[in-house]
Amino acid sequence: GINDLPLSLAISHLEQKAAAVLLTLLHLGVKNIRLGPRLPAYVTPNVLQVLVDNYNIMPTGTDAGEDLKLMMEGK
């Protein structure tokens, strides 16, 4: 499936278009997406827990280089 492909996704600046892309990726079942630099206001703690549990959503860190390194390592 799609999660078997060597993809690393980081979605930043969640305005309307980016939110639509995120919802599309979630609908397709894509996992291991990084969101940031801040989580959007509509992601409440309960919503975040569902996203983490079902899609392994992760926040981006404060160091883009470290985020890139982790993505390239498949983490």
Side-chain angles (χ1 to χ4, degrees):
I2 193 163
N3 290 304
D4 297 325
L5 296 172
L7 295 174
S8 295
L9 300 167
I11 300 177
S12 301
H13 307 288
L14 281 167
E15 80 284 343
Q16 289 178 338
K17 287 180 251 173
V21 169
L22 174 62
L23 291 173
T24 300
L25 292 171
L26 294 176
H27 177 75
L28 292 171
V30 175
K31 296 184 178 187
N32 303 316
I33 299 170
R34 294 175 187 274
L35 295 178
R38 291 180 304 278
L39 295 176
Y42 59 83
V43 177
T44 64
N46 290 337
V47 170
L48 179 59
Q49 192 60 54
V50 169
L51 293 174
V52 169
D53 291 345
N54 294 307
Y55 299 98
N56 196 34
I57 296 289
M58 299 168 268
T60 58
T62 57
D63 180 353
E66 182 65 20
D67 286 340
L68 182 58
K69 178 182 173 215
L70 290 170
M71 287 188 288
M72 296 302 291
E73 293 173 357
K75 298 179 182 176

